[in-house]
Amino acid sequence: MESYLDKIPSYVDAIKSIKETILTNIILIGQIPAPTFNEAKRAEIFQERISQAQVDECTMDDFRNPIGVIHGTNDSKPPIFIVAHLDTFIDKDSDHNFTIKTDYLTGPGIMDNSAGVGVLASLPEIFKKLNLTFESDIVIAGLIHSLGKANLQGIRQLLSAWKTPVRGAICLEGGELGRLNYYSYGTKRCEVECKISSDTGWEHRFQPNAILILNDVINRILTLRLPQRPRARVIIGKIAGGFKHGIIALEGTLGFEIQSDSDQMVKSIFKDITDIVDGLSHEYQVEMKLKTISSINASTLNFNHPLVKSTVAIMKQLGLKPMAEPSGSELSIFLNHKIPAVTLGITRGHNYHLANASIEIEPMYTGIAQIIGVIKAIDSGVCDE
Amino acid sequence: MNNTWLEKNTFHYSDFSDLKLLVEQKEKKNLTISLCLPTLNEEKTIAKEIIIMKSELMTRCPLLDEIVVVDSGSTDQTREIAGEYGADVYKASDILPDLENFRGKGENLWKALYITKGDIIVYLDADIKNIHHRFAYALIGPLLLSDDIKYSKAFYDRPIAIEKNKMRATGGGRVTELVIRPLFSLYFPELTQILQPLSGEYAGYREIFETIPFPIGYGIETSMILDIYEKWGLDVIAQVDLEKRVHRNQDTKALGRMAFVILKTFLNRIEKLGLIQKKKEMFNEMIQFKLEKNRYMPDIRQLEEHERPPIIGVPEYCKKFSSKPQTHPEHTPFTSEKTE
C-alpha cells in the first residue's frame, strides 16, 4: 500500500493541470436539467463525454444508465465500479447556466450532484494524464432514477443485471470533501396524506383541519419511545397543505423518514406510525393514507475493513479529516449486494440545494486525488479478502 | 427574391461536429486560428468561455491556436479572471497606443487583428451564458471545409433571461426585426437571407477583416456585412445555426440607442454607395425621455460612431505582418472583386 500512498499528494498538481477539462465536464453536463425521471438528455451528454474521452467500451444498459468501461490488464480481476447519480432536485425550467469565477463554480444542483458527475466523466482523461493503468476493468456509470421516489432504481437495476462479481465500488458526491460513508442506515421514507371532504352538508359543519390533524400525527410520533440501541430516529422532513390564510385546510401531506441501523427496528417504528395514522383517521373520521416512498436496508462495512482503513489512510495522506456518517445513497445497494464500497465527497460547497449552490474549485483537485487513491487501493486488493 | 444562397450557404452546427476532420483540414491548409473575446465587465461569463474553448478546442482537439481577450477597461475582475484561466489578455488602450483611443466592441475587434496571429479569426461575444464549443467550431467549419466561404456568421434561437433563474423560451432579436430587416428589405433584399445579421459571433479569414473598416461601436456587425457583400458578394458568406444562445436581456431604451447607431452606420454606407443623398449631416445625439418627479426630462446621449480604417493601411500592422506570406498555397487569395 505504501508504494502508491506516498505518490498520492503528487497527483493533486497533475490533476489541476487539466482543470479546464474537469470544469468543462461539470459545466456541460451540469447545465443539462435532470430532475428525477427526466435524466435522458443528461445521460446522453454524459455518454458523449466519456465516449469522446475514448473509453474502451461505451454503452447504455437496459435501464438507460450510461456506462463506460476502461479495460484492465488482468482478465481474472473483477471490475471496480465508480458511480454518481445523474438526477437532481432542480426542476427543468430553472436557469441551469453555471457561472465561474476564480475560486467558485456556481449553479443549481452542482453540489448534488453535477460536480460528482462531471468528475466521474473526467476520470478517463485524468487516468491518461496520470499515466495510470489498473488490473481491474474500471466501470464508470452515471445513474438515472436515484433520488426520492425513484428509490435508487438506477443502481438497483445496474447491479441486478450485472451477473459477475464486482471487486469494489466508489460512489461520488459533490460534497462534502472529507465525508467517508461506509455504512447506511435502514430507512423508510414515507408520506402521510390527509384529505377532508369538502361537502357542505349538516354533518360536515364542524370540519376538521388537515394541518391540525397532521400536527397531531407529528405529536404522536414524537411520543414514540425510540431505543438508544439499535440506534433509531424519525425525521420529520416535509409538510405542505392548505389554500389560504382564512380557510380551513382540507388537504395536507407530511413527509418523514425512519432511520435505524436495524431493519427490524425500522419495521417496528413503521408499524407504530401506521397505528397512529389509522387511529387518527378513525378518530377524526377523515381519509388518511400512509404511503412508503422508498426504503433501504441497513448495511455496513466494519470500520476495520481494509477498504475503510485504506481510505482513511489516503485521506490523511492528503491532509483530510475523515468524517464518518451513514449514507442512504447508492452505497447501501452495493453493500446489500455484498460489494465493499465507500461514498466520497469531491469538494467543499455552499447553499447545497439552492439555486445558487456553489463549489470551491481548489479543494476539488484534492478530492479527485483521494478518489484515484481509493481506486488504486481497491486495485491493489484491499477488497479481495 | 432568389433565395438560393439561403439554401446553399446555411448550415447547422452539427454539420461540423467532426472535429478531427476540421483539424485535418486546418493542418492541410497550413492555417492558424485565433479566438478573440471582446470584453467589458464580463466577470460572470468570461471564465466559462475560456475554460470550455481551451478544454475542447485546444487541449482535446487542437483547432484553436490562441485565445485572446481584448478588454475595453473593465472595472470588475474580467481581466484577472481571464488571465487566471489562461487567455492572453490585453487592454484595448494598450494596443497601438500611439493612435487615438476609442472605446467600443468594434475597436476591440479591430485591435485584435494587430495582436492575434491567426489566419482565421473567430469573434465571440463574452456574455454568452450557455457557451459551448460549438459556438467556435461551427463558425470555423465552413471556412475550412469550403474553398469559397471566407466569412461565417451565427444565428440561433434567443431565449432571454427574464428574471433571476428563470428563462423565456423565445424573444430577443428586436433590433434585427424592427431596424435591420426592414432596411435590408428596402435596399438589399438579398441580405435578408442572413437571418441574424446582428449576431455577435462570426469568423473569417484575416484577409477579409484587414481590408474592411471597423466602426468602433454597435455599427460593426452591420457595416461588416455590407462591406463584405459589396466587396466579395454574398457567396463568400455562410450562416450557421447554433441553436440556442442565452444572453442578458436589454431594456428598450438600450435597444433604442443600439438602433440609432445601426441606422446611422447603414445610412452612411448606402450614401457612400450612391443609393441615397443626404441633404444635411445627421446629428450625433440620441434623445430619449425619462420621468423624474412627475416631469419628463430629456436623456441625451452622444453616440458618435467613429470608424477605424482597414487595418492593412496602418503602418505598424504592415510592419508586424510583413514577413507573413499574404496567401497560402491551399486557399484562394481574395483578388477578385464582387462579380454579381
Side-chain angles (χ1 to χ4, degrees):
Chain A
M1 180 171 162
E2 279 66 30
S3 61
Y4 69 81
L5 201 54
D6 293 339
K7 282 188 190 165
I8 291 169
S10 70
Y11 292 160
V12 176
D13 283 341
I15 292 164
K16 191 176 175 181
S17 72
I18 55 165
K19 64 180 175 184
E20 289 85 9
T21 302
I22 300 164
L23 292 169
T24 296
N25 277 326
I26 296 173
I27 293 165
L28 293 183
I29 298 170
Q31 290 188 159
I32 308 294
T36 306
F37 301 118
N38 286 291
E39 311 95 333
K41 182 74 182 159
R42 183 176 284 199
E44 211 176 280
I45 298 292
F46 178 86
Q47 193 186 29
E48 190 184 301
R49 300 300 296 171
I50 55 174
S51 157
Q52 283 168 358
Q54 296 175 330
V55 293
D56 297 310
E57 290 174 46
C58 192
T59 184
M60 291 259 188
D61 71 2
D62 290 345
F63 196 66
R64 311 298 293 166
N65 291 308
I67 294 166
V69 181
I70 300 166
H71 288 159
T73 55
N74 187 341
D75 291 344
S76 66
K77 301 288 183 190
I80 298 168
F81 273 45
I82 309 165
V83 303
H85 67 85
L86 295 172
D87 48 350
T88 72
F89 288 104
I90 312 295
D91 74 85
K92 69 177 172 42
D93 294 325
S94 293
D95 182 351
H96 275 70
N97 292 304
F98 288 9
T99 55
I100 184 164
K101 291 194 180 169
T102 308
D103 302 324
Y104 290 95
L105 178 53
T106 303
I110 192 158
M111 284 291 276
D112 192 9
N113 188 25
S114 300
V117 175
V119 167
L120 180 65
S122 306
L123 286 178
E125 302 274 10
I126 293 168
F127 294 157
K128 275 185 220 161
K129 182 70 196 175
L130 299 175
N131 208 15
L132 293 177
T133 52
F134 302 96
E135 286 193 335
S136 286
D137 285 358
I138 305 293
V139 176
I140 288 169
L143 301 171
I144 62 166
H145 296 16
S146 274
L147 300 170
K149 290 181 182 174
N151 197 16
L152 302 168
Q153 282 177 61
I155 184 67
R156 288 179 203 272
Q157 296 287 339
L158 176 63
L159 290 184
S160 68
W162 197 278
K163 299 299 179 198
T164 52
V166 175
R167 203 173 181 191
I170 305 170
C171 311
L172 304 186
E173 291 282 352
E176 281 279 316
L177 182 59
R179 88 189 259 178
L180 169 57
N181 306 133
Y182 56 92
Y183 59 97
S184 68
Y185 280 162
T187 61
K188 204 178 246 305
R189 194 168 288 174
C190 307
E191 211 164 74
V192 182
E193 213 178 75
C194 178
K195 273 189 180 168
I196 292 162
S197 168
S198 55
D199 292 346
T200 51
W202 178 86
E203 69 276 26
H204 297 290
R205 70 192 189 286
F206 298 116
Q207 277 180 323
N209 185 321
I211 292 174
L212 297 182
I213 295 171
L214 290 177
N215 184 49
D216 219 349
V217 173
I218 294 170
N219 286 337
R220 293 196 193 192
I221 289 173
L222 295 179
T223 62
L224 291 175
R225 286 172 180 272
L226 302 180
Q228 295 276 332
R229 289 289 182 274
R231 278 184 286 201
R233 62 180 177 173
V234 179
I235 296 174
I236 308 291
K238 281 174 80 173
I239 188 156
F243 308 105
K244 56 196 277 195
H245 294 74
I247 304 280
I248 286 174
L250 298 180
E251 282 183 12
T253 54
L254 170 70
F256 65 89
E257 191 169 285
I258 307 165
Q259 298 177 347
S260 172
D261 49 17
S262 153
D263 291 335
Q264 200 50 46
M265 182 52 62
V266 173
K267 268 187 198 165
S268 161
I269 296 170
F270 180 70
K271 188 175 167 302
D272 289 343
I273 296 177
T274 307
D275 290 343
I276 290 171
V277 172
D278 287 347
L280 287 172
S281 174
H282 182 72
E283 213 171 290
Y284 286 103
Q285 294 191 351
V286 294
E287 189 188 328
M288 285 175 87
K289 275 185 198 158
L290 174 59
K291 289 191 291 189
T292 300
I293 305 293
S294 64
S295 59
I296 297 168
N297 292 332
S299 47
T300 185
L301 281 182
N302 288 328
F303 184 76
N304 61 1
H305 187 283
L307 175 59
V308 180
K309 282 166 69 177
S310 302
T311 306
V312 169
I314 289 160
M315 291 171 92
K316 285 185 173 165
Q317 184 77 356
L318 287 163
L320 301 173
K321 190 178 168 196
M323 293 174 294
E325 55 180 32
S327 163
S329 70
E330 288 73 15
L331 173 78
S332 57
I333 310 300
F334 280 114
L335 297 179
N336 281 321
H337 278 75
K338 309 287 180 220
I339 298 166
V342 289
T343 298
L344 301 173
I346 307 278
T347 184
R348 292 190 287 269
H350 308 278
N351 306 322
Y352 217 94
H353 287 120
L354 301 179
N356 62 343
S358 64
I359 59 165
E360 289 182 31
I361 293 171
E362 195 63 28
M364 180 174 73
Y365 310 118
T366 304
I368 297 171
Q370 103 193 291
I371 295 160
I372 304 294
V374 178
I375 298 170
K376 288 193 73 115
I378 298 173
D379 200 51
S380 72
V382 298
C383 297
D384 295 350
E385 291 170 12
Chain B
M1 188 201 68
N2 181 351
N3 66 349
T4 51
W5 178 86
L6 183 76
E7 283 160 19
K8 196 168 67 113
N9 283 23
T10 301
F11 303 96
H12 186 264
Y13 77 83
S14 58
D15 297 334
F16 308 107
S17 56
D18 183 352
L19 298 185
K20 255 187 172 173
L21 175 67
L22 297 187
V23 173
E24 271 170 30
Q25 283 300 305
K26 177 195 159 190
E27 284 166 0
K28 193 175 153 202
K29 294 184 174 184
N30 191 25
L31 295 169
T32 52
I33 303 178
S34 305
L35 169 64
C36 169
L37 306 170
T39 57
L40 175 62
N41 296 330
E42 311 288 5
E43 66 174 11
K44 284 188 177 166
T45 44
I46 188 67
K48 197 160 79 170
E49 294 210 16
I50 294 167
I51 286 166
I52 291 177
M53 295 302 167
K54 203 170 163 201
S55 162
E56 302 305 295
L57 301 182
M58 289 179 93
T59 308
R60 278 184 152 192
C61 188
L63 191 62
L64 296 176
D65 296 283
E66 63 178 348
I67 299 175
V68 172
V69 168
V70 182
D71 184 68
S72 298
S74 295
T75 50
D76 65 6
Q77 296 286 303
T78 301
R79 288 194 301 279
E80 291 77 3
I81 291 172
E84 169 84 13
Y85 285 105
D88 298 328
V89 183
Y90 298 85
K91 259 178 104 171
S93 55
D94 294 341
I95 304 168
L96 297 168
D98 293 340
L99 301 181
E100 189 186 351
N101 191 27
F102 296 119
R103 197 170 158 178
K105 178 186 168 186
E107 173 81 349
N108 294 10
L109 304 188
W110 185 76
K111 286 189 167 175
L113 293 171
Y114 181 71
I115 43 112
T116 52
K117 53 179 188 274
D119 303 294
I120 288 175
I121 296 147
V122 185
Y123 292 118
L124 297 184
D125 278 350
D127 67 341
I128 306 170
K129 289 178 86 179
N130 64 326
I131 188 70
H132 185 276
H133 48 296
R134 70 172 185 272
F135 280 73
Y137 75 68
L139 292 172
I140 296 167
L143 305 174
L144 292 176
L145 300 187
S146 158
D147 287 332
D148 301 322
I149 294 166
K150 307 299 175 192
Y151 173 77
S152 58
K153 194 159 180 66
F155 71 99
Y156 27 63
D157 293 333
R158 293 162 61 99
I160 51 179
I162 48 171
E163 59 184 71
K164 210 176 173 196
N165 303 319
K166 289 287 169 196
M167 313 286 292
R168 197 165 73 199
T170 55
R174 285 165 285 177
V175 180
T176 294
E177 296 306 322
L178 298 175
V179 179
I180 277 291
R181 190 167 301 288
L183 288 173
F184 279 176
S185 301
L186 288 167
Y187 289 95
F188 308 101
E190 254 197 334
L191 289 181
T192 57
Q193 296 173 90
I194 299 175
L195 297 172
Q196 263 156 10
L198 298 181
S199 70
E201 288 72 44
Y202 32 88
Y205 280 92
R206 178 176 289 275
E207 291 97 314
I208 287 261
F209 293 131
E210 68 187 1
T211 53
I212 57 173
F214 277 56
I216 59 152
Y218 288 132
I220 177 69
E221 280 83 20
T222 310
S223 78
M224 198 176 269
I225 286 177
L226 291 174
D227 291 339
I228 292 172
Y229 173 66
E230 182 53 26
K231 245 180 155 175
W232 295 285
L234 198 53
D235 286 340
V236 302
I237 302 175
Q239 63 182 347
V240 188
D241 183 355
L242 300 183
E243 288 202 345
K244 201 173 278 184
R245 182 202 194 282
V246 182
H247 65 110
R248 282 190 307 248
N249 191 24
Q250 297 207 59
D251 64 37
T252 313
K253 276 196 165 179
L255 294 181
R257 292 191 287 274
M258 187 193 285
F260 177 94
V261 175
I262 288 168
L263 275 165
K264 206 169 165 204
T265 305
F266 186 89
L267 293 171
N268 282 334
R269 279 290 184 284
I270 59 173
E271 186 183 35
K272 227 187 254 178
L273 294 171
L275 296 176
I276 59 165
Q277 196 181 359
K278 298 201 296 275
K279 296 279 187 204
K280 58 178 263 201
E281 273 311 299
M282 293 182 286
F283 293 102
N284 289 324
E285 286 179 347
M286 172 70 172
I287 307 162
Q288 295 168 310
F289 284 86
K290 56 185 176 184
L291 192 58
E292 267 183 16
K293 294 178 184 165
N294 280 335
R295 290 184 61 202
Y296 285 104
M297 305 293 288
D299 181 8
I300 300 171
R301 304 276 180 108
Q302 283 286 330
L303 295 173
E304 220 167 327
E305 184 72 346
H306 296 285
E307 191 165 294
R308 290 292 192 186
I311 202 166
I312 193 85
V314 174
E316 290 93 328
Y317 181 86
C318 290
K319 196 174 159 201
K320 185 174 176 184
F321 288 89
S322 60
S323 58
K324 191 179 169 69
Q326 289 297 302
T327 58
H328 296 279
E330 293 292 333
H331 78 274
T332 325
F334 304 118
T335 47
S336 59
E337 291 291 302
K338 182 185 169 188
T339 52
E340 307 166 47

